[in-house]
Amino acid sequence: MTDFAAIILAAGKGTRMKSDLHKVLHPIAGKPMLMHLLDEFEQLGPRRTVIVVGDKREQVDAALTGRNVATALQDPQHGTAHAALQARAALEGFSGHILVAFGDVPMVRADTVRRLTDTLASGAKVAVLGFRPDDALAYGRIIADDDGTVRKMVEYKDASDEERACKLCNSGLIVAHSDDMWPLLDAVGNDNAQGEYYLPDVATGAIARGDTVKVVECEAGEVAGINSRAELAAAEAQWQDFKRQEAMEGGATLRAPETVFFSWDTKIGRDVLVEPNVVFGPGVEIADGAHIKAFSHIEGATIGRDAEVGPFARLRPGAVMEEGSFIGNFVEMKKATLGPGAKASHLSYIGDATVGANANIGAGTITCNYDGYFKYQTTIGERAFIGSNSALIAPVTIGDDAIVAAGSAVSRDVGAGDLRMVRGEQLVKQGWADRFHDAMKKKKAATAKNKG
C-alpha cells in the first residue's frame, strides 16, 4: 500500500458553538470529536498526521499531548485550500497519498478513506468524497458520469438549475498523491466573492489540466459536519444508534435501546440484559450474562459474568464486580472489588475496599475510607456478614466468616469467625414515655386555653 498521510483542518473559530472550548474538542460519547477521527485514521497506519489549527490552538495542542501528531498554524485564515497548504512544512519529504479532512466531520470511516486511496491506485489523480442527502440544501454539487468520473464541481450559488437538480453533493474530503496535491493547491486562486482559497478547486484544477478525478460515495451521516450544539446532539444520537445496534448484533439485549447511552469504549458481552435508562461512562467492561437494571450509572467499572447491578446503582471508577456478585438499589461502589457471589443489596457505600466471596453487606453499611487527608482500605473476608447500618472505619479488616452486628461502628480488626458488636448500652426507663406524653398534652391544652 502507498504511504498515507492525513491533514485535518481545525482552524475555524467555531462561533456557532458559543463555547470557550475549541469546537473539535467537544465530545461525542465522551471522546472529543477530533480524537474520534484520529483513532479511526490510525487504522490506516498514517506515516504522518498534521492538524491545522488557528483559534484556541493551545487547547488542541494540550489535547494532542502523547500523540504522534504535528500541528500547523493558519494565521490569517484565507480558506480551506490555504489551510491545507499550511501543513506542507510538516509533511516535507513525505511521498504518498494525502487526505485532507475536517476536524468537525468526525464520523468518517477508515474503510471509506481506503476506497478513496484505492481509486487513486486505479489511475485517478484526485478522488473526492460525495454523498446524497435527503435534502441537498446549498451543498456544492458534483457532476459525474455513471462510472464516477467527475466532469465538474460547482458551488450551489454558481450552479445552474440543471446542476442544482443533481443530488450528488461534495463533502469536502479529498485525496491526491503528494506529487499532485501540492502543485494543485498552489494553483488554487481566490477569484471569488469571499476572496478565499477553496479546497474543491483542487479537483477543479485537476480536471482543467486533463487529469482524471473520481468521486467515491458514502452515506450522508458519515460526513455530517458539526457547527452548532444542535448538530453536536444529532451526531451524538447518530453515534448512540450505531453503538446500540452493534451491541444488540453482538448478543446483548437492550430492553429500551433508545434510553441506553454508551461511551466510546464500552465493551459489552453476550446475553447481557440492559434495562431502560442506563448510562455508561468511559472505561466499562461487561462480561457475558450480566444484568444491568434500570436507572444505573456505570463508569470505569468491570462487571463480571452473571453479575447483577441495580436498579438505581452507581459504579464509579475502579469498581470491580466478580462473577455472580450483586449490588442493588442505591448502592455506590468506588475503587472496590466485590468477590464472586458477594452482595450489597441496598443503600450502601463501598469505597476503597475488597469484599470476599459470598460476603453479605447489609443495608445502610458504609466503608469510612477518608479522614479528610488520606484514603484507607477496608478488607472484608469470605462469607462475612455485615449487619445493617454498620460503619467500617478504615483501615480495618473483617475476617472470613465474621459477623458485624447491626448498628456497629467498627474501628479495629475483627478476627475470622468472630462477632463484633459495637453499640452503646440500651437504657430503659419504664413509664417515662407515658409520663412525658401526659405532661406535654397538659401543657399544650393550657397554652390553647390561654390563647382563647
Side-chain angles (χ1 to χ4, degrees), residues 49-67:
T49 301
V50 184
I51 314 294
V52 180
V53 294
D55 188 54
K56 300 184 179 73
R57 176 182 186 172
E58 69 285 351
Q59 292 185 9
V60 178
D61 286 338
L64 293 171
T65 300
R67 287 181 176 262

Side-chain angles (χ1 to χ4, degrees), residues 269-302:
R270 298 175 60 184
D271 296 316
V272 172
L273 171 59
V274 183
E275 294 185 5
N277 299 297
V278 172
V279 176
F280 296 103
V284 175
E285 295 188 25
I286 309 165
D288 296 351
H291 183 181
I292 314 299
K293 293 185 177 180
F295 295 99
S296 294
H297 187 284
I298 303 169
E299 179 179 2
T302 301

Side-chain angles (χ1 to χ4, degrees), residues 222-285:
E222 188 174 344
V223 288
I226 299 173
N227 295 293
S228 66
R229 303 284 183 156
E231 289 172 349
L232 181 65
E236 178 78 31
Q238 176 186 327
W239 190 97
Q240 292 293 341
D241 284 344
F242 172 81
K243 187 67 176 182
R244 292 162 186 153
Q245 188 66 32
E246 181 183 71
M248 290 185 288
E249 289 175 355
T253 294
L254 309 183
R255 191 160 286 169
E258 69 281 2
T259 71
V260 176
F261 292 87
F262 292 103
S263 178
W264 63 275
D265 59 349
T266 305
K267 296 178 181 178
I268 185 168
R270 298 175 60 184
D271 296 316
V272 172
L273 171 59
V274 183
E275 294 185 5
N277 299 297
V278 172
V279 176
F280 296 103
V284 175
E285 295 188 25

Side-chain angles (χ1 to χ4, degrees), residues 5-352:
I7 300 172
I8 300 176
L9 307 186
K13 294 183 181 299
T15 54
R16 287 173 57 195
M17 296 296 286
K18 294 181 173 60
S19 176
D20 293 330
L21 182 66
H22 194 292
K23 177 169 66 171
V24 301
L25 299 181
H26 281 265
I28 297 170
K31 181 165 72 171
M33 66 175 85
L34 176 62
M35 305 312 167
H36 279 276
L37 205 57
L38 288 174
D39 289 345
E40 190 69 22
F41 290 172
E42 194 63 30
Q43 299 179 38
L44 302 167
R47 294 291 182 179
R48 301 186 200 178
T49 301
V50 184
I51 314 294
V52 180
V53 294
D55 188 54
K56 300 184 179 73
R57 176 182 186 172
E58 69 285 351
Q59 292 185 9
V60 178
D61 286 338
L64 293 171
T65 300
R67 287 181 176 262
N68 186 25
V69 174
T71 58
L73 180 65
Q74 185 193 23
D75 185 24
Q77 295 170 17
H78 292 311
T80 48
H82 176 260
L85 276 169
Q86 308 315 302
R88 177 152 50 186
L91 293 178
E92 185 176 0
F94 171 80
S95 178
H97 296 151
I98 296 176
L99 165 73
V100 183
F102 301 89
D104 59 0
V105 183
M107 301 294 190
V108 178
R109 313 301 297 176
D111 286 344
T112 300
V113 178
R114 285 193 188 96
R115 289 195 291 130
L116 282 168
T117 56
D118 288 348
T119 300
L120 297 186
S122 66
K125 289 291 187 180
V126 175
V128 296
L129 187 60
F131 66 106
R132 299 177 186 271
D134 292 335
D135 188 344
L137 300 172
Y139 290 113
R141 302 299 203 266
I142 300 174
I143 311 302
D145 296 340
D146 291 341
D147 67 354
T149 300
V150 179
R151 296 302 174 189
K152 184 178 182 181
M153 295 181 64
V154 58
E155 293 300 316
Y156 179 84
K157 63 181 181 301
D158 299 322
S160 66
D161 290 342
E162 182 180 0
E163 290 167 341
R164 290 179 180 180
C166 171
K167 300 305 180 185
L168 182 57
C169 297
N170 179 27
S171 73
L173 275 75
I174 192 166
V175 173
H177 193 278
S178 53
D179 292 343
D180 298 303
M181 181 66 82
W182 301 123
L184 287 167
L185 281 168
D186 283 331
V188 172
N190 66 340
D191 185 17
N192 53 62
Q194 286 72 35
E196 294 192 346
Y197 302 85
Y198 292 128
L199 195 58
D201 287 342
V202 168
T204 299
I207 294 170
R209 72 182 194 183
D211 293 335
T212 299
V213 175
K214 291 278 192 174
V215 60
V216 169
E217 294 190 40
C218 69
E219 294 295 325
E222 188 174 344
V223 288
I226 299 173
N227 295 293
S228 66
R229 303 284 183 156
E231 289 172 349
L232 181 65
E236 178 78 31
Q238 176 186 327
W239 190 97
Q240 292 293 341
D241 284 344
F242 172 81
K243 187 67 176 182
R244 292 162 186 153
Q245 188 66 32
E246 181 183 71
M248 290 185 288
E249 289 175 355
T253 294
L254 309 183
R255 191 160 286 169
E258 69 281 2
T259 71
V260 176
F261 292 87
F262 292 103
S263 178
W264 63 275
D265 59 349
T266 305
K267 296 178 181 178
I268 185 168
R270 298 175 60 184
D271 296 316
V272 172
L273 171 59
V274 183
E275 294 185 5
N277 299 297
V278 172
V279 176
F280 296 103
V284 175
E285 295 188 25
I286 309 165
D288 296 351
H291 183 181
I292 314 299
K293 293 185 177 180
F295 295 99
S296 294
H297 187 284
I298 303 169
E299 179 179 2
T302 301
I303 299 171
R305 187 180 184 92
D306 298 324
E308 189 171 321
V309 178
F312 295 97
R314 186 181 183 201
L315 296 183
R316 292 168 56 195
V320 176
M321 295 182 62
E322 296 186 359
E323 183 173 353
S325 59
F326 166 64
I327 65 169
N329 48 287
F330 305 107
V331 174
E332 179 179 351
M333 283 182 65
K334 187 274 298 182
K335 205 174 180 181
T337 298
L338 205 60
K343 60 183 179 180
S345 297
H346 32 224
L347 303 165
S348 294
Y349 170 70
I350 306 169
D352 295 283

